Amino acid sequence: GFLDDLFLNAGMPHGPATILDLGMNCGVAALYMSLRFPQAQIVSVEPSATTFAVASLNLVHRPRAFRELGAAEGKGGGYA
């Protein structure tokens, strides 16, 4: 599949050791990656405290795979 080809072409025949999920939203991509690459350490970051709480609930059964990081969320608008 696409991910297998991506990692094989990058010289990682056994998959990634670490995956950064920057903007994890509700955690679906991190959950998929944890199932597809169980050996990988996944670091997930979500700036919204509310969304981070939802993602944490969605990922509660995958504790070994995740190091979740909540990032700061300001009151005003901004640009990324």
Side-chain angles (χ1 to χ4, degrees), residues 8-80:
L8 287 173
N9 290 335
M12 292 185 274
H14 303 292
T18 303
I19 297 172
L20 299 177
D21 182 11
L22 305 176
M24 70 193 260
N25 203 328
C26 65
V28 172
L31 179 60
Y32 172 78
M33 292 292 183
S34 74
L35 295 170
R36 180 64 191 88
F37 302 107
Q39 78 288 351
Q41 175 66 39
I42 300 172
V43 178
S44 297
V45 178
E46 174 53 51
S48 165
T50 302
T51 306
F52 179 79
V54 171
S56 295
L57 290 173
N58 288 337
L59 302 173
V60 72
H61 297 292
R62 305 292 300 170
R64 190 209 65 77
F66 297 96
R67 179 172 175 216
E68 300 169 352
L69 302 173
E73 178 180 17
K75 292 181 181 186
Y79 298 95

